[in-house]
Amino acid sequence: PVMTIYFGLGTNLGDKEQHLRTAVQKIKERIGKVISLSAFYATAPWGFTSEHTFLNAALCVETQLSPLEILKITQEIELEMGRIHKSVNGAYSDRVIDIDLLLCFAGDGTPVLLDVPGLQLPHPLMQDRRFVLEPLAEIAPDVVHPVLKKTMQELL
């Protein structure tokens, strides 16, 4: 069964544009077909202070994989690209790449809701983060948040 999954990508170290392109390429090779990719948005750090601004993007992919398989692959990609550790206890830090699973829909358009250790779908903080919503509203303005019942454009 084909699923549609939306990712948020972020980086604030090194050649940021190249990091986003590399992440998109690896997702394409290992997870599925890229349906749409937003522009790259320069944003201020959220939840911590840094002199390094972020570059963020949103990505929509069609895949046959399950959300947990996708999570495992995105974590492998982060490691390969030099991401040492995920944020712990709300302590955020500079990162080479961050790949977040935001939303997932089954082939018939039904939203996939998940709450398991390590993965919540939809992403529990996405509606609070302009750096997630702005690129997401660009590629999926009319997609409805399955819990908040508002479109990405409305949430933005």
Side-chain angles (χ1 to χ4, degrees):
V2 173
M3 291 201 315
T4 303
I5 190 139
Y6 290 90
F7 295 96
L9 306 178
T11 169
N12 79 328
L13 292 175
D15 184 339
K16 295 179 256 199
E17 196 164 317
Q18 190 53 55
H19 291 327
L20 291 182
R21 294 191 189 290
T22 300
V24 170
Q25 187 56 41
K26 287 177 182 280
I27 287 168
K28 189 154 76 180
E29 286 164 8
R30 298 185 211 175
I31 294 175
K33 182 178 168 198
V34 172
I35 304 303
S36 51
L37 170 64
S38 73
F40 295 171
Y41 291 79
T43 58
W46 186 93
F48 73 105
T49 307
S50 169
E51 71 247 32
H52 306 288
T53 56
F54 273 79
L55 207 54
N56 290 97
L59 182 65
C60 176
V61 175
E62 275 185 357
T63 181
Q64 308 266 355
L65 302 174
S66 75
L68 285 170
E69 289 172 312
I70 294 167
L71 179 67
K72 187 171 174 291
I73 294 168
T74 59
Q75 288 174 339
E76 285 165 7
I77 293 171
E78 288 179 340
L79 277 174
E80 280 167 30
M81 291 182 64
R83 174 93 196 258
I84 312 304
H85 47 73
K86 282 296 228 180
S87 307
V88 183
N89 302 330
Y92 297 94
S93 57
D94 293 329
R95 71 277 321 253
V96 171
I97 192 69
D98 191 20
I99 305 170
D100 283 330
L101 284 68
L102 301 175
L103 293 161
C104 184
F105 297 92
D108 62 2
T110 316
V112 176
L113 302 178
L114 255 192
D115 191 352
V116 295
L119 183 60
Q120 259 182 289
L121 287 172
H123 191 292
L125 296 172
M126 60 179 283
Q127 64 276 2
D128 303 330
R129 297 177 170 178
R130 187 172 183 90
F131 67 84
V132 170
L133 289 174
E134 207 166 1
L136 198 52
E138 180 197 326
I139 63 169
D142 303 324
V143 168
V144 176
H145 191 291
V147 179
L148 304 175
K149 306 293 185 218
K150 289 188 158 136
T151 67
M152 296 305 122
Q153 191 62 55
E154 288 169 332
L155 288 173
L156 179 63

